[in-house]
Amino acid sequence: MNKPKKVAILTAGGLAPCLNSAIGSLIERYTEIDPSIEIICYRGGYKGLLLGDSYAVTAEVRAKAGLLQRFGGSVIGNSRVKLTNIKDCVKRGLVKEGEDPQKVAADQLIKDGVDILHTIGGDDTNTAAADLAAFLAKNNYGLTVIGLPKTVDNDVFPIKQSLGAWTAAEQGARYFMNVVAENNSNPRMLIVHEVMGRNCGWLTAATAQEYRKLLDRAEWLPELGLSRESYEVHAVFVPEMAIDLEAEAARLRAVMDKVDCVNIFVSEGAGVEAIVAELQAKGQEVPRDAFGHIKLDAVNPGKWFGEQFAQMIGAEKTLVQKSGYFARAAAANVDDMRLIKSCADLAVECAFRRESGVMGHDEDNGNVLRAIEFPRIKGGKPFNIDTDWFTQTLAEIGQKKGGKVEVSH
């Protein structure tokens, strides 16, 4: 064992219901083992690292670190910064012209006396961490980078379950339980629930499953119009499954005629290629972020699906609601907290061994919880539409499963 002298923590990318819990769990575990180990938290993710902006974790902070379990978000702040995107870093004033952001970050870690860096983020964050770890090793900086996998999409190879995804599904279901009551605000109502998931439909499918569990536990009074049929999920659309718009429209029109409403769950990444092609054909530019990803708010898939189906099924009113920001900023639930704690404990153990990698249950190695090598970490893991519980969901709501679609990342 080689005890760390100083540890740094940063969170990056979008929010997920695990960030504060992971920060708190790491602080508590280091404090349990050896409170003399110094801890700092970089403010605003990689931005704070580049600028040397950090919080000191004092004895008072250590004593109250458990409070973080009660809150969503990241108290130390996030940012979307790609260290290998030099042009973007210069443009944002994070490095000077001619500087290499990776070297600036590495030098800042040395200046701060850090020998262990914990990164908490999704595939972009951990890809950046992998690049930084490789840079540190190549240039003999003697630092160890240890990642924790955060993403509500649950789409990181080869990790079985990403931190925060279970909570996001549960919270999205709670969100829609209120929204769905709008089905009786207007005759022939179409409600589109857009769920986060750029290239992966896991969260949409899991949210639909969690929502239907809420329906299973509810009592109904159909004699006065309170029927499960009007609260039911009538269709689930994910990027990995082909959609026959005309066939689905015919099926959903029959639902509308019978129930007087239709409720659709759709991934924000479903149908994006078709939408982008349509926008580009009109001469419209499609904006992208620092990582080259299409900005989905500009594409607005939920609105597109609503427009496609409204006329085809004879909807009088269409309501599009997005649960993403509600779900991703929640505090971690019990299941996620258990997973986060086990990953954080292993991360600290790895710090003492100077073992780099991303903590997770390795799908290529019997789902054992271990430090997964950075080069093996990548995003874009598709949701398996043949998963038993998803197949059962589609069968129960009367939706025919579409063919598999290859989703680009």
Side-chain angles (χ1 to χ4, degrees):
M1 291 290 185
N2 185 6
K3 187 183 88 169
K5 293 180 180 179
K6 192 170 186 178
V7 169
I9 301 170
L10 66 79
T11 60
L15 296 183
C18 65
L19 297 175
N20 276 338
S21 180
I23 297 164
S25 295
L26 286 170
I27 292 171
E28 288 184 317
R29 186 57 178 156
Y30 275 112
T31 302
E32 287 170 358
I33 293 176
D34 190 339
S36 71
I37 297 172
E38 290 184 68
I39 306 173
I40 62 171
C41 296
Y42 285 111
R43 209 184 296 244
Y46 286 110
K47 174 184 177 182
L49 172 54
L50 290 172
L51 299 177
D53 185 11
S54 64
Y55 293 98
V57 177
T58 63
E60 291 76 18
V61 172
R62 291 172 190 262
K64 293 186 176 182
L67 288 175
L68 298 185
Q69 304 289 350
R70 306 177 192 175
F71 292 87
S74 171
V75 292
I76 61 177
N78 282 22
S79 61
R80 290 188 179 276
V81 176
K82 188 172 184 178
L83 297 180
T84 54
N85 190 337
I86 299 174
K87 185 178 179 181
D88 182 65
C89 289
V90 171
K91 180 182 177 182
R92 295 164 67 174
L94 302 179
V95 299
K96 297 175 183 176
E97 194 74 50
E99 288 184 324
D100 179 349
Q102 287 190 317
K103 188 175 188 308
V104 172
D107 289 344
Q108 186 64 51
L109 289 165
I110 295 296
K111 181 180 178 181
D112 290 336
V114 171
D115 44 13
I116 300 291
L117 173 64
H118 288 288
T119 59
I120 309 167
D123 61 293
D124 287 333
T125 298
N126 285 308
T127 298
D131 291 339
L132 180 59
F135 180 88
L136 294 169
K138 181 180 178 181
N139 294 279
N140 300 313
Y141 275 81
L143 293 168
T144 303
V145 182
I146 300 172
L148 290 172
K150 167 243 42 159
T151 169
V152 297
D153 297 346
N154 195 29
D155 66 343
V156 181
F157 285 109
I159 293 172
K160 181 177 176 60
Q161 187 68 33
S162 300
L163 310 184
W166 281 327
T167 304
E170 179 184 86
Q171 291 293 320
R174 285 186 52 205
Y175 174 92
F176 193 71
M177 198 66 190
N178 278 8
V179 170
V180 74
E182 289 288 336
N183 64 28
N184 51 38
S185 69
N186 202 84
R188 299 189 71 83
M189 186 77 166
L190 169 61
I191 303 180
V192 179
H193 178 196
E194 183 181 312
V195 182
M196 282 189 166
R198 175 181 296 278
N199 301 108
C200 179
W202 182 91
L203 182 59
T204 301
T207 302
Q209 183 192 41
E210 289 298 318
Y211 172 71
R212 297 188 76 245
K213 289 179 183 177
L214 296 179
L215 300 186
D216 289 341
R217 295 195 289 269
E219 292 187 63
W220 306 100
L221 186 61
E223 296 83 358
L224 198 62
L226 181 61
S227 68
R228 172 164 179 156
E229 288 76 15
S230 61
Y231 278 69
E232 185 58 272
V233 179
H234 299 122
V236 182
F237 300 131
V238 296
E240 298 88 348
M241 188 173 71
I243 305 165
D244 185 335
L245 284 175
E246 291 189 3
E248 276 299 287
R251 182 180 71 84
L252 293 174
R253 188 172 189 111
V255 172
M256 180 71 84
D257 291 343
K258 179 182 177 182
V259 186
D260 204 36
C261 67
V262 165
N263 307 313
I264 296 174
F265 279 45
V266 58
S267 297
E268 64 178 352
V272 165
E273 289 185 9
I275 301 169
V276 169
E278 185 178 297
L279 292 175
Q280 290 176 336
K282 296 176 181 177
Q284 297 180 29
E285 185 178 346
V286 180
R288 297 175 182 268
D289 64 18
F291 291 86
H293 301 318
I294 293 167
K295 292 186 176 180
L296 293 173
D297 284 347
V299 176
N300 210 340
K303 179 175 180 288
W304 185 83
F305 272 93
E307 291 172 348
Q308 296 298 311
F309 279 113
Q311 187 172 3
M312 298 170 79
I313 68 175
E316 287 191 13
K317 183 177 180 181
T318 302
L319 176 66
V320 179
Q321 291 289 292
K322 303 179 182 183
S323 60
Y325 292 111
F326 178 90
R328 78 177 196 169
N333 67 13
V334 173
D335 290 331
D336 262 319
M337 285 175 64
R338 189 180 301 115
L339 179 61
I340 292 162
K341 182 72 165 61
S342 63
C343 288
D345 286 353
L346 178 59
V348 174
E349 183 181 320
C350 289
F352 277 78
R353 293 199 298 260
R354 294 295 193 273
E355 183 179 356
S356 153
V358 179
M359 306 302 105
H361 292 87
D362 190 340
E363 291 183 305
D364 296 335
N365 288 282
N367 291 320
V368 173
L369 180 61
R370 59 184 297 273
I372 301 172
E373 299 78 9
F374 273 114
R376 295 177 55 220
I377 299 294
K378 62 179 180 177
K381 183 176 75 174
F383 171 56
N384 180 8
I385 63 172
D386 291 330
T387 300
D388 289 344
W389 57 264
F390 183 62
T391 298
Q392 182 179 347
T393 296
L394 294 183
E396 290 177 355
I397 67 175
Q399 180 179 352
K400 182 180 179 181
K401 185 189 294 183
K404 288 187 178 181
V405 174
E406 292 292 329
V407 181
S408 59
H409 179 62

